[in-house]
């Protein structure tokens, strides 16, 4: 006979052990339930083995939020692309003194950082932007040309026969990203602002998407970091004011406004570096009021293009009218003409 407890547990001890196990499991379950109710219960937990315990509902919410963000970004980019201007009104800088002084400024900056050479605007493209707009096809371009022609009498009324001279002095930037030569203060500012306002009104009345939400600030751009996006990867994230500090009060010269051009931002530039120009209006009496050679070439080209376009449209309309099913009158007329011709031949 074995003694109690010598080699195993009696029935009372077994019940006690079982009861303790049940109490322990119940306590553990209650602890887990209480943790679920706490704010940090859904936070990702990484154990020593690197295993992440992420609740499924949290994953779904995270994915849904990610998709919503991507959708918003996509819509924002599409809107920006849809509203992106591709044409502008330009006052070209033709004074060689201004061009020469800007080249000196650009070279001084490049000497301090050779990488910025790619961010410089070419000397043939210097201009003041009066208005930006979006013209999506040939019809809208023609409407833009009409608007530009309608702008001329408004400009003449604003200037009252006086010459508009723009003096340039000093250098500044837009957010250290775009470098420009400043337009000096003076009596020339108001008429220039009036011309820009008249241009915006004239083009918008034609149904053209034109103008910006920010106020018009005339300036002469000479460099843009956006022209060389790789500069940011090289550590060049802004235009250092030290690069142009010697030109803060520098006088660059004066430009007499004699022309306003409708230019494309995207089409191939001209051989002199200036933008592709659809049409122009001449301001004042430069060259005795006669248009220059470049203007004559542009006008001739536009006239030829318009004539060809009208001829093609007329041909297409006539072709479509002939192909439409009718009452057969045109066929009968042709047959009658042929019969009449045959009769005439028989008489001969």
């Amino acid at each position: 006979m074995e003694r109690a407890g010598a080699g195993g547990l009696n029935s009372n001890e077994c019940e006690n052990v079982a009861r303790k196990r049940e109490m322990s499991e119940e306590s553990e379950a209650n602890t887990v339930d209480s943790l679920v109710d706490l704010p940090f219960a859904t936070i990702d937990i990484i154990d020593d083995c690197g295993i992440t315990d992420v609740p499924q509902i949290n994953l779904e919410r995270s994915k849904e939020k990610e998709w919503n963000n991507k959708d918003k970004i996509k819509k924002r980019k599409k809107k920006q692309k849809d509203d992106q201007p591709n044409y502008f009104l330009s006052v070209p800088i033709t004074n060689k003194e201004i061009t020469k002084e800007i080249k000196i400024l650009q070279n001084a900056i490049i000497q301090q950082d050779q990488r910025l050479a790619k961010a410089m605007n070419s000397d043939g493209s210097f201009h003041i932007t009066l208005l930006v707009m979006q013209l999506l096809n040939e019809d809208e371009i023609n409407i833009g040309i009409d608007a530009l022609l309608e702008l001329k009498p408004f400009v003449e009324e604003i200037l009252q026969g006086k010459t508009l001279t723009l003096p340039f002095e000093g250098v500044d930037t837009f957010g250290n990203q775009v470098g420009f030569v400043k337009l000096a203060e003076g009596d020339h500012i108001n008429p220039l602002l009036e011309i820009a306002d008249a241009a915006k009104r004239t083009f918008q009345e034609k149904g053209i998407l034109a103008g910006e939400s920010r106020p018009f600030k005339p300036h002469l751009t000479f460099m843009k970091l956006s022209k060389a996006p790789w500069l940011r990867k090289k550590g060049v994230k802004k235009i250092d004011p030290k690069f142009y500090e010697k030109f803060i009060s520098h006088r660059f010269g004066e430009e007499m406004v004699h022309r306003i051009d409708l230019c494309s931002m995207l089409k191939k530039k001209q051989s002199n570096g200036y933008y592709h120009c659809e049409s122009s209006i001449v301001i004042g009496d430069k060259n005795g009021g006669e248009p220059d050679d470049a203007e004559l070439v542009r006008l001739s080209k536009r006239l030829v293009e318009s004539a060809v376009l009208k001829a093609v449209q007329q041909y297409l309309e006539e072709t479509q009218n002939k192909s439409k099913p009718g009452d057969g009158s045109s066929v009968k007329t042709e047959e009658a003409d042929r019969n009449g011709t045959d009769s005439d031949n028989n008489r001969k």
Side-chain angles (χ1 to χ4, degrees), residues 11 65 85-86 148 152 156 158 187 191 195 220 242 259:
S11 60
K65 187 176 181 181
N86 58 346
L148 177 61
K152 183 171 181 176
E156 291 174 344
I158 292 170
D187 296 337
I195 291 172
L220 201 174
K242 292 181 180 179
R259 203 176 78 221

Side-chain angles (χ1 to χ4, degrees), residues 302-315:
R302 175 55 57 180
L303 288 172
V304 171
E305 288 177 351
S306 297
V308 171
L309 183 62
K310 287 180 181 178
V312 171
Q313 288 177 341
Q314 184 177 356
Y315 173 77

Side-chain angles (χ1 to χ4, degrees), residues 30-31 93 114 138 150 166 235 237 241 243 309 326:
N30 291 336
T31 302
I93 301 300
Q114 295 287 335
E138 194 67 26
E150 290 182 15
L166 306 178
K237 298 182 180 179
F243 291 163
L309 183 62

Side-chain angles (χ1 to χ4, degrees), residues 33 73 109 114 223 243 286 291:
D33 290 338
I73 293 172
I109 294 175
Q114 295 287 335
M223 71 177 296
F243 291 163
K286 185 177 180 181

Side-chain angles (χ1 to χ4, degrees), residues 1 23 73 85 142 246 286 297 332:
M1 179 181 286
M23 291 176 64
I73 293 172
N142 287 328
K246 293 181 180 179
K286 185 177 180 181
V297 170
K332 291 178 181 178

Side-chain angles (χ1 to χ4, degrees), residues 17-273:
V17 171
R19 192 177 293 111
K20 287 180 181 179
R21 284 179 180 173
E22 289 175 359
M23 291 176 64
S24 176
E25 290 173 357
E26 184 179 354
S27 175
E28 185 178 351
N30 291 336
T31 302
V32 172
D33 290 338
S34 65
L35 284 173
V36 171
D37 295 330
L38 293 176
F40 55 80
T42 56
I43 295 177
D44 296 351
I45 302 170
I46 302 177
D47 62 12
D48 293 338
C49 298
I51 300 174
T52 305
D53 182 14
V54 184
Q56 187 64 29
I57 188 170
N58 193 38
L59 272 175
E60 291 175 356
R61 287 177 181 173
S62 178
K63 287 180 180 179
E64 184 179 356
K65 187 176 181 181
E66 185 180 349
W67 280 110
N68 287 338
N69 289 338
K70 286 182 178 179
D71 189 49
K72 287 179 182 178
I73 293 172
K74 192 179 293 184
K75 288 181 179 178
R76 192 182 302 118
K77 286 183 177 179
K78 185 179 184 301
K79 187 177 186 303
Q80 290 174 348
K81 187 176 181 181
D82 291 343
D83 298 341
Q84 189 74 22
N86 58 346
Y87 275 83
F88 66 101
L89 289 186
S90 164
V91 175
I93 301 300
T94 59
N95 185 344
K96 293 182 179 180
E97 179 191 350
I98 297 176
T99 301
K100 183 184 74 173
E101 294 297 320
I102 292 178
K103 293 298 290 182
I104 293 173
L105 165 64
Q106 290 176 325
N107 290 332
I109 294 175
I110 293 171
Q111 286 177 3
Q112 298 174 75
D113 192 335
Q114 295 287 335
R115 297 172 296 180
L116 293 175
K118 296 294 183 181
M120 299 299 171
N121 287 20
S122 60
D123 52 4
S125 66
F126 295 147
H127 69 280
I128 292 178
T129 299
L130 286 179
L131 182 71
V132 295
M133 69 197 73
Q134 186 184 71
L135 304 175
L136 298 178
N137 49 51
E138 194 67 26
D139 289 338
E140 291 188 3
I141 292 173
N142 287 328
I143 294 173
I145 292 171
D146 291 339
L148 177 61
L149 297 176
E150 290 182 15
L151 176 64
K152 183 171 181 176
F154 292 111
V155 175
E156 291 174 344
E157 183 180 351
I158 292 170
L159 296 180
Q160 294 290 312
K162 298 178 181 178
T163 301
L164 181 58
T165 303
L166 306 178
F168 293 94
E169 181 179 343
V171 177
D172 202 352
T173 67
F174 290 124
N176 294 321
Q177 300 297 308
V178 177
F180 63 90
V181 174
K182 296 194 297 183
L183 186 62
E185 296 294 330
D187 296 337
H188 54 276
I189 295 291
N190 283 338
L192 184 62
L193 294 178
E194 288 181 29
I195 291 172
D197 186 60
K200 183 177 181 179
R201 184 174 62 253
T202 303
F203 277 77
Q204 287 182 345
E205 287 176 356
K206 287 282 189 179
I208 294 172
L209 183 64
E212 296 179 284
S213 56
R214 59 189 177 187
F216 171 64
K217 183 177 181 178
H219 60 280
L220 201 174
T221 302
F222 66 87
M223 71 177 296
K224 291 181 182 179
L225 292 185
S226 60
K227 288 173 65 69
W230 54 267
L231 285 172
R232 181 167 289 274
K233 295 180 181 179
K234 297 289 185 179
V236 182
K237 298 182 180 179
K238 66 176 185 177
I239 303 171
D240 193 330
K242 292 181 180 179
F243 291 163
Y244 56 83
E245 61 183 357
K246 293 181 180 179
F247 295 85
I248 292 295
S249 301
H250 186 78
R251 293 184 179 181
F252 289 84
E254 297 181 346
E255 176 69 30
M256 293 176 59
V257 178
H258 68 276
R259 203 176 78 221
I260 298 176
D261 301 325
L262 176 61
C263 297
S264 170
M265 298 180 185
L266 305 178
K267 291 183 179 180
K268 186 178 179 181
K269 290 184 178 181
Q270 301 177 36
S271 57
N272 61 0

